[in-house]
Amino acid sequence: MSLRTILKFPDPILRQKAKKISNFDASLQNLATDMIETMYDAPGVGLAAPQIGESIRLIVVNASQEEDGEETMVLVNPEITEREGTQADEEGCLSVLDLTASVKRSQKVTVSYQDMTGESQELTVEDRFAVILQHEIDHLNGILFLDHLSTLKRALYKKKIKKLMAAKK
Ligand code: NI
């Protein structure tokens, strides 16, 4: 087990469409373990494999409803199959520094996925947990929560990051 480095915007790996997983082997298990450890250490409520530089369709989330609870779920090849309603909730991202913003999402989603043994599963969730799953599944398609903001907000953020990066050089 080891903590992995979380890639930050504008790393190009975050923009790739991640590959489907077909091998449910020990290396997948090890990667998921690293991701779980990295997520809780950050701390965050979700992490997608591309965020640690692995462009494959794997996400880990903390599904606990409790403030400090830990109920880890690992989803392989997750896909949203149904959506219902809308909600707007404040989001941030471990790969997008110094920004939180309200994002409009579906209120309820059904997600089909495979578990760590390759077994097909389905899950219907609402509210905050639905937000987390939509956010993490977006990562697998190269989409960041930034992309859901207005053009103006996005442009301002890009400008700020450019300045920060220039200052570091
Ligand atoms: Ni994120």
Side-chain angles (χ1 to χ4, degrees):
M1 288 200 297
S2 53
L3 286 180
R4 305 280 290 252
T5 303
I6 298 174
L7 301 182
K8 306 292 186 314
F9 173 86
D11 193 296
I13 293 176
L14 296 171
R15 291 313 200 172
Q16 288 173 9
K17 190 171 158 67
K19 286 205 178 70
K20 201 174 170 190
I21 292 167
S22 50
N23 286 333
F24 295 81
D25 53 13
S27 70
L28 185 68
Q29 185 64 59
N30 290 339
L31 181 64
T33 305
D34 282 356
M35 284 171 61
I36 292 164
E37 202 184 335
T38 305
M39 171 179 76
Y40 286 121
D41 178 74
V45 289
L47 191 69
Q51 291 182 275
I52 57 160
E54 304 283 346
S55 195
I56 56 170
R57 306 187 80 78
L58 172 67
I59 65 173
V60 300
V61 294
N62 183 357
S64 176
Q65 308 286 322
E66 315 286 316
E67 183 76 23
D68 294 311
E70 282 188 14
E71 193 187 323
T72 310
M73 277 190 69
V74 179
L75 292 84
V76 181
N77 300 321
E79 211 176 312
I80 295 169
T81 53
E82 272 176 71
R83 298 175 175 273
E84 215 182 292
T86 56
Q87 60 175 324
D89 205 348
E90 197 76 5
E91 290 184 35
C93 178
L94 298 173
S95 295
V96 180
L97 297 176
D98 298 325
L99 183 73
T100 61
S102 179
V103 178
K104 201 174 152 199
R105 302 271 190 190
S106 301
Q107 192 269 327
K108 186 174 173 181
V109 292
T110 299
V111 175
S112 68
Y113 66 100
Q114 284 163 285
D115 62 23
M116 288 303 284
T117 66
E119 200 79 33
S120 292
Q121 307 284 352
E122 195 180 73
L123 173 77
T124 299
V125 294
E126 299 179 79
D127 305 329
R128 188 69 189 157
F129 192 23
V131 168
I132 296 170
L133 286 182
Q134 289 171 84
H135 178 119
E136 299 310 327
I137 292 170
D138 264 359
H139 274 299
L140 304 181
N141 296 317
I143 298 166
L144 299 171
F145 82 99
L146 274 180
D147 304 326
H148 296 288
L149 306 182
S150 69
T151 316
L152 176 65
K153 273 191 192 155
R154 203 160 54 233
L156 284 173
Y157 180 69
K158 284 181 181 165
K159 215 172 163 181
K160 180 176 161 183
I161 288 298
K162 259 191 193 155
K163 258 191 200 161
L164 276 176
M165 286 172 69
K168 271 185 196 162
K169 272 174 195 162

